[in-house]
Amino acid sequence: MAAGRWCRVLSGCRMHALMRDHTCGISLLKKACPIRQFAAVKASKKVQTDPKKESNKPKVERKTNSYRNRTRGLTALEPIDDVYQVQYYPKPVFDIETAIDSLKKFQQLDFTYPKQPVYIDLQLDMKLEKKKKVDPFVRILQLPYNFRTQLNSVVVFTENPEEVTVAQQHGADVVGGTELIQKILDEEVQGDFYVSTPDMVSKLVPLKNKLRKKFPKNKRGSVGHNIPEMIKVFQTGHEYQVERDCFVLSKVGTLDMPKEHITANVAEIIKDVCTQRPVSFGPFVKRAIICSATSESLMFKAEPFLPQITEDKEENQ
């Protein structure tokens, strides 16, 4: 009796397991092989168009959105209203006369010092042919309208008694020979500019590291026999140099000077800067900024002061 009962239990469990495996297989088949319940769409035939007929059709002009012409990150190229947020628009570029008038108005509104200095900041394009570049340079020139209240101090190196007398008569601050070397190293003697006769240059080698860019050189015009002319140039001359590879920061006057005088000084400096690279390579000044000691910076147009290529030069090139 017990053996028969166990046989019936085992046969029942076997049938239950077979039925469960059968239903799982059917569900898997249904998931793996879905049945489509709609008819397939017939492929449409491509109609060949005549290119001649298409060319005769009138072309529809696309509407252009004026607001799409924007600089990246800015709202528009020019503001519509008088009051706007500066960070969303490009900086305006003024004429030099308008920029100077604005600086004078800023001084009146801020109640700052009326005789504060005015500066220009020029960014130069130092590229030449291939991978060559213009070397950073130091220049001294005579401005049309001097704004300095004191003359520059000039030290003259010479051992000729006659030249010593001439230098002293024309206003040299210090005149001497090799005896000045140790005094300059000890900072007992200092000057804004140093000039020398050609026979003294080789004896001044110990001062190269001390004077650096102020060391007398032929390129700067600080070596020669015409001592009176050199003293005059360096006493009243204006010096500027290229800093940070391609920038020129120079003082051009004071804010109380007439607008025409400041403009003339700016034109003279830009004209002298452009002599350091051939005109055939394009504009040398990429960007020009003017500001005073306490005002904001204003960009101005440097194109009117840049040299232009004449027809004769273009034909020669």
Side-chain angles (χ1 to χ4, degrees):
M1 292 293 290
R5 187 178 297 175
W6 278 110
C7 290
R8 285 197 298 271
V9 171
L10 290 174
S11 62
C13 293
R14 185 178 179 185
M15 290 295 294
H16 179 71
L18 290 173
M19 290 295 293
R20 186 180 60 183
D21 295 340
H22 179 69
T23 55
C24 291
I26 294 172
S27 61
L28 290 174
L29 288 173
K30 288 182 178 180
K31 291 181 180 179
C33 303
I35 300 173
R36 187 172 59 192
Q37 303 294 339
F38 55 88
V41 181
K42 293 183 179 180
S44 59
K45 295 182 180 180
K46 294 183 178 179
V47 181
Q48 295 182 354
T49 57
D50 190 0
K52 294 183 179 180
K53 291 182 179 180
E54 288 186 354
S55 60
N56 295 331
K57 292 181 180 180
K59 294 182 179 180
V60 180
E61 296 182 359
R62 294 183 178 180
K63 295 182 179 181
T64 57
N65 188 359
S66 59
Y67 290 99
R68 294 184 65 183
N69 188 14
R70 302 173 182 171
T71 310
R72 185 176 180 180
L74 301 176
T75 302
L77 294 178
E78 293 182 1
I80 300 174
D81 301 328
D82 295 335
V83 180
Y84 57 92
Q85 294 184 357
V86 179
Q87 65 269 25
Y88 296 128
Y89 297 90
K91 282 190 174 183
V93 182
F94 303 98
D95 296 329
I96 185 63
E97 294 83 3
T98 307
I100 296 173
D101 288 337
S102 299
L103 295 180
K104 291 179 178 291
K105 290 180 181 178
F106 295 158
Q107 181 272 323
Q108 295 174 0
L109 295 173
D110 297 338
F111 298 100
T112 54
Y113 184 56
K115 295 184 179 181
Q116 57 185 289
V118 180
Y119 302 92
I120 60 170
D121 185 3
L122 306 177
Q123 183 181 3
L124 308 180
D125 183 8
M126 307 291 280
K127 294 180 181 179
L128 292 173
E129 70 276 358
K130 296 181 180 178
K131 294 183 179 180
K132 295 183 179 180
K133 291 185 178 181
V134 179
D135 295 329
F137 51 87
V138 181
R139 298 280 294 174
I140 185 168
L141 73 159
Q142 299 292 325
L143 294 177
Y145 300 97
N146 189 18
F147 53 88
R148 288 182 173 273
T149 56
Q150 296 179 353
L151 297 177
N152 299 320
S153 60
V154 179
V155 179
V156 180
F157 293 103
T158 181
E159 292 180 339
N160 189 338
E162 296 180 358
E163 293 177 342
V164 170
T165 305
V166 172
Q168 291 174 348
Q169 290 176 351
H170 286 81
D173 294 271
V174 180
V175 185
T178 54
E179 70 275 4
L180 296 178
I181 295 177
Q182 190 60 41
K183 293 182 180 180
I184 294 173
L185 292 174
D186 296 338
E187 297 184 356
E188 295 179 7
V189 175
Q190 294 181 351
D192 296 324
F193 296 99
Y194 299 83
V195 298
S196 173
T197 54
D199 58 329
M200 284 290 299
V201 176
S202 59
K203 301 176 183 179
L204 303 177
V205 175
L207 294 176
K208 272 194 172 182
N209 293 332
K210 181 69 175 178
L211 300 181
R212 295 185 180 181
K213 293 183 179 179
K214 293 183 179 181
F215 189 83
K217 293 181 180 179
N218 289 317
K219 292 182 178 180
R220 295 187 60 191
S222 55
V223 177
H225 290 287
N226 193 352
I227 294 178
E229 183 64 24
M230 289 191 297
I231 293 174
K232 180 182 177 182
V233 169
F234 287 98
Q235 272 187 340
T236 60
H238 176 73
E239 185 185 37
Y240 70 89
Q241 62 182 356
V242 177
E243 302 174 355
R244 293 175 294 156
D245 297 332
C246 64
F247 293 95
V248 173
L249 179 62
S250 175
K251 190 186 295 185
V252 294
T254 55
L255 207 55
D256 62 328
M257 292 174 60
K259 175 175 58 178
E260 294 77 14
H261 293 185
I262 300 175
T263 303
N265 288 347
V266 171
E268 188 66 23
I269 291 176
I270 294 178
K271 179 182 176 182
D272 188 76
V273 166
C274 292
T275 59
Q276 302 304 303
R277 195 182 78 157
V279 186
S280 58
F281 289 101
F284 195 21
V285 179
K286 296 170 62 176
R287 174 190 53 72
I289 293 176
I290 188 169
C291 66
S292 65
T294 60
S295 72
E296 62 179 281
S297 301
L298 300 176
M299 298 177 64
F300 69 92
K301 299 176 183 178
E303 289 78 10
F305 309 115
L306 300 179
Q308 303 295 331
I309 301 178
T310 59
E311 295 181 357
D312 297 338
K313 290 183 179 180
E314 290 180 354
E315 290 178 358
N316 294 332
Q317 292 175 359

